[in-house]
Amino acid sequence: MTEAYIYDAVRTPRGKGRKDGSLHEVTSVALSATVLNSLKERNGLEGHAVEDVIWGNVTQVKEQGGCLARTAVLASDLDEMIPGLAINRFCASGMEAVNLAANQIKGGAGDAYIAGGVEMMGRVPMGSDGAAIAVDPSVAMDMYFVPQGISADIIATEYGFTRDQADQLAVESQRRAAMAWDEGRFDKSIVAVKDINGLTILDRDEYMRPGTDMQSLGGLKPAFKEQGEVMPGFDKLAIMKYPHLEKINHIHHAGNSSGIVDGSAGVLIGNKEFGEKYGIKPRAKIRQTCKIGLDPTIMLTGPVPATQKILKDAGMAISDIDLFEVNEAFASVVMRFQQAFDVDSDVINVNGGSIAMGHPLGATGAIIIGTLLDELERQDKETGLATLCIASGMGAATIIERV
């Protein structure tokens, strides 16, 4: 089978997903085009250089509607002969784009792809697509649908995680992210966002709060307690499904959950012949990919079964992995992963994660693959695993290996 190699990975800085955020006036199309243009320029791509652009985005309405991938290609400097495919696997959309591209290459369907994603959460609010899984009673009631924040608190209750543990993880995420930026660990991959006059709008993740400590987090109210206990009372629905819990322990708040931000990321993937044609060297190969479904109510435990599946499929053990990126959707997601595999925290999210820097839904999967690759190179390690939890009860994972 043909190998699929990662040749390059870039991302924009993540902007606050609010009207006062630096990227609020930048559209999803423009931010995507920034990433596409960077990959084209950095690698000397010409003409119909890649088979397709596969682009993830979650809230596919308004400016993120239609086939955003194709629109982004046309708005970029890429050749118009390159098509585009927009996909949605919720929070793993950017990863699924990469995995799909890699598997297309392995199957002989083209020499190269650009894959990644975007989410402008400040311009196209999460949930504004009115998805049936959340609003159609004939679907939602049958599957005991609860919002993701409630699911995160269910995980904390089920597996015994405390508010202090969640806050400690959040403080550490902030510390690591600040250190990574201060030491220039993201420099290889960051593409500054500029306006039409070429002036820089944003060149650094702006959501971070490096001064975060246990005291400041201690003053925050649980974000999902009222939603669970009062209106509309999702805790009762959850306990109908999991009666052994008796009561949901609400430990999550804005400080130990992922941030609402704007961002985009892309990965250039190709076979050996593609690299030889353009005179570029591969940085890693995509060794294995996977996706899996699971309980849609607790929903966010996906990184555990996804990791179990991908390791089995690859014929590997958890000890074969040097570094991990586990998306920090909520603190309990990462804590559950650590608990399940007894993995040292020193090799998980070495440079912080979405609690500190934010989670632009459709882009994050591609972001963490690029971050993992950069860190493997920095530490001169060989193999890394990236994984995400996914809304409605799914998980996805990717194993990369340096070459």
Side-chain angles (χ1 to χ4, degrees), residues 95 109 134 137 183 201 248 302 368 379 394:
M95 174 176 284
E183 294 183 358
I201 298 172
I248 306 300
I368 65 173
Q379 293 194 30
M394 293 184 283

Side-chain angles (χ1 to χ4, degrees), residues 240-260:
M240 286 173 63
K241 186 166 187 178
Y242 315 114
H244 66 283
L245 295 181
E246 297 184 0
K247 180 178 173 60
I248 306 300
N249 182 21
H250 293 285
I251 71 166
H252 289 93
H253 50 73
N256 59 28
S257 306
S258 56
I260 294 174

Side-chain angles (χ1 to χ4, degrees), residues 307-323:
T307 296
Q308 291 168 336
K309 182 178 189 299
I310 199 170
L311 290 173
K312 181 180 179 181
D313 292 347
M316 301 174 71
I318 198 77
S319 57
D320 295 325
I321 306 298
D322 297 311
L323 295 172

Side-chain angles (χ1 to χ4, degrees), residues 265-276:
V267 182
L268 177 62
I269 308 161
N271 58 21
K272 182 179 179 182
E273 290 73 22
F274 169 76
E276 291 173 346

